[in-house]
Amino acid sequence: MTDDSFGTVSGPFIHIEDPHPAVEQLLGPLFSKVLIFAGPGPHISSLRNYQCFRDKMARLPADALRTIGLPAVPPPTDIDMMALRQVLTEPIYGPFGMQDGWKLNTLGLKALIASPLTSHRALANMIHPRAPGFVLVAMSKRPSTHSDLLDILVDAVLRGNHDQDVVFNLARHPNASANALTTARGLLASATPSSRLPRDAITNFERSLAWNKNTSKRDLAMLSRNRDLSVREAVGLNLNTDVADLVTLSSDTDDNVRRAVAANPNLPRETMIAMSMGDSGNANVRAAVARNTSVDKEFASLLVSLCNDDDMQVLRNLACNPNVSVDDCFDLQQPLHQAILADYSEAPHTLRTLAGMEDDDLLLSVATNKFTPADVLSSLAGSTNGTVRMNVARNFATPPSVLEQLLSDTQAGVRHSAAVNEHTPAAALVL
């Protein structure tokens, strides 16, 4: 379906690249009725198509909509329809700004901007250099606003409406393009002394820009020299930061900045090793290196160093790192390694080994671990230790059949834990 099929607003309502077979069966009669109700003129036709589409979708059962991946559509309000009629039939802006008719319907305009059903074209019609601030602010806050609309929005701000809230929202927007973000930074930097924001507000903007995954490498390089450590920390974590800037930040005077850089998977290996060795007195930096997903068995010297670390957080992060093999790093004969793995390991064979050691402290942790295999949890449900059975009853990975058995346990705490577990069969809870 295209924009032309149902006028200005109905085309982009549903985006289904590979339609489920139920789509035609469910919505086919609806589309034929929409065509029947289409009026003679292009604007009237678009409006009636929209009204019919919204009304018919609103009457469909929510379960049927969810079956084909569509949200339930609320019935249109009078304000929605008045605003839509104006979008389709009346110009929004004149030579002196917003037309009088629109000034009387700002609620409808806000409703259209906020609605996920409003089309791309209708949204584009609302962006204008003479648009009131609330229009541009609402558009920049809308999470689903497309990047091309945000580019138009930046242009509108450049040409007339210098609303700083728009600039702040752009810095945080996940769809803002690198060019839009660069322009937003330039707008804030070029503010006149009378309109310049307080330093803490500018820092908040720069921090949002440093976090944004779409910020250009050039802008991130400038932000990496920011005097505020939280901005430099965000640059260190950003996956788009240039490698040369990461290397520079690895020698930052602030521990938090170095820790952020150490966790960035784009950090060169030699720099990561140097940070781990050079920051031997800083457990937080070593822990960040241990969490870095680019660490694997090819980092032989680094792994040996980290695996022999005596800091609990370093070992925890190694155990949680998906690229670090338990066999390459941990010694199951060491009590410290046993305790760490029982709590944080995701490897089924490791958890089976720990469950077989018959150590009560280890069993308590294995029974709690959400990655413990179902057969191990079933076995632990028969433990003579009531606390172990209680942990099994609380574990969402425990099979429903085992939870049903634990409802008859001799200890009230075990029965209660099994009863409140969301995976316990509802039928088993009926007295």
Side-chain angles (χ1 to χ4, degrees), residues 209-224 231-249 261 264-268:
L209 204 61
W211 276 109
N212 197 309
K213 62 182 176 61
N214 298 325
T215 300
S216 68
K217 292 183 183 296
R218 182 178 179 183
D219 285 340
L220 288 169
M222 296 183 67
L223 292 168
S224 71
V231 175
R232 301 197 306 275
E233 183 180 358
V235 173
L237 284 168
N238 196 314
L239 298 181
N240 204 31
T241 300
D242 191 80
V243 170
D245 295 315
L246 289 176
V247 172
T248 300
L249 288 172
V261 173
N264 194 312
N266 297 328
L267 189 67

Side-chain angles (χ1 to χ4, degrees), residues 104-311:
L104 299 176
N105 194 20
T106 55
L107 286 177
L109 193 57
K110 288 180 179 179
L112 279 181
I113 295 172
S115 172
L117 302 180
T118 303
S119 76
H120 184 280
R121 183 174 173 185
L123 290 170
N125 287 342
M126 300 178 202
I127 304 174
H128 193 277
R130 290 189 292 274
F134 79 86
V135 171
L136 302 185
V137 170
M139 200 75 71
S140 63
K141 287 176 66 175
R142 191 175 187 266
S144 58
T145 300
H146 292 186
S147 59
D148 57 339
L149 286 180
L150 293 174
D151 289 340
I152 300 172
L153 191 64
V154 170
D155 183 63
V157 173
L158 277 171
R159 290 166 53 197
N161 191 320
H162 298 284
D163 195 308
Q164 291 175 329
D165 285 339
V166 176
V167 176
F168 273 78
N169 292 337
L170 279 171
R172 293 188 288 263
H173 205 289
N175 297 335
S177 67
N179 287 337
L181 294 171
T182 299
T183 304
R185 187 179 64 80
L187 282 169
L188 208 61
S190 62
T192 60
S194 60
S195 62
R196 193 162 293 158
L197 294 173
R199 182 63 221 175
D200 59 342
I202 294 175
T203 298
N204 287 337
F205 167 81
E206 292 169 335
R207 187 185 303 114
S208 297
L209 204 61
W211 276 109
N212 197 309
K213 62 182 176 61
N214 298 325
T215 300
S216 68
K217 292 183 183 296
R218 182 178 179 183
D219 285 340
L220 288 169
M222 296 183 67
L223 292 168
S224 71
R225 299 187 290 274
N226 196 284
R227 63 184 179 182
D228 188 272
L229 68 91
S230 66
V231 175
R232 301 197 306 275
E233 183 180 358
V235 173
L237 284 168
N238 196 314
L239 298 181
N240 204 31
T241 300
D242 191 80
V243 170
D245 295 315
L246 289 176
V247 172
T248 300
L249 288 172
S250 70
S251 302
D252 196 276
T253 55
D254 186 82
D255 288 353
N256 290 325
V257 175
R258 296 200 307 279
R259 180 176 60 181
V261 173
N264 194 312
N266 297 328
L267 189 67
R269 292 189 172 189
E270 59 274 14
T271 306
M272 198 179 301
I273 293 172
M275 290 188 74
S276 178
M277 304 302 181
D279 262 306
S280 56
N282 190 326
N284 288 331
V285 172
R286 300 198 311 276
V289 172
R291 188 175 69 240
N292 196 311
T293 53
S294 66
V295 173
D296 54 30
K297 62 183 179 181
E298 295 181 17
F299 275 79
S301 61
L302 178 59
L303 266 182
V304 169
S305 172
L306 293 173
C307 293
N308 291 324
D309 204 295
D310 57 1
D311 183 81

Side-chain angles (χ1 to χ4, degrees), residues 43 82 84-93 99 101-102:
H43 298 310
M82 187 187 304
L84 179 66
R85 185 176 293 107
Q86 288 182 287
V87 168
L88 295 173
T89 62
E90 302 174 15
I92 303 175
Y93 305 104
Q99 303 278 39
W102 273 106

Side-chain angles (χ1 to χ4, degrees), residues 308-378:
N308 291 324
D309 204 295
D310 57 1
D311 183 81
M312 291 285 284
Q313 189 59 51
V314 173
L315 295 175
R316 285 173 187 164
N317 286 354
L318 279 176
C320 295
N321 192 323
N323 293 332
V324 174
S325 168
V326 171
D327 297 333
D328 292 334
C329 191
F330 290 92
D331 182 359
L332 288 179
Q333 302 306 313
Q334 286 192 34
L336 178 60
H337 285 197
Q338 292 172 356
I340 293 291
L341 292 172
D343 281 326
Y344 299 101
S345 177
E346 300 179 11
H349 69 282
T350 300
L351 292 167
R352 280 196 179 90
T353 301
L354 293 170
M357 291 184 174
E358 298 184 354
D359 179 288
D360 279 353
D361 290 335
L362 291 179
L363 293 180
L364 289 172
S365 296
V366 172
T368 306
N369 192 315
K370 64 181 180 180
F371 295 103
T372 298
D375 62 303
V376 175
L377 289 171
S378 299

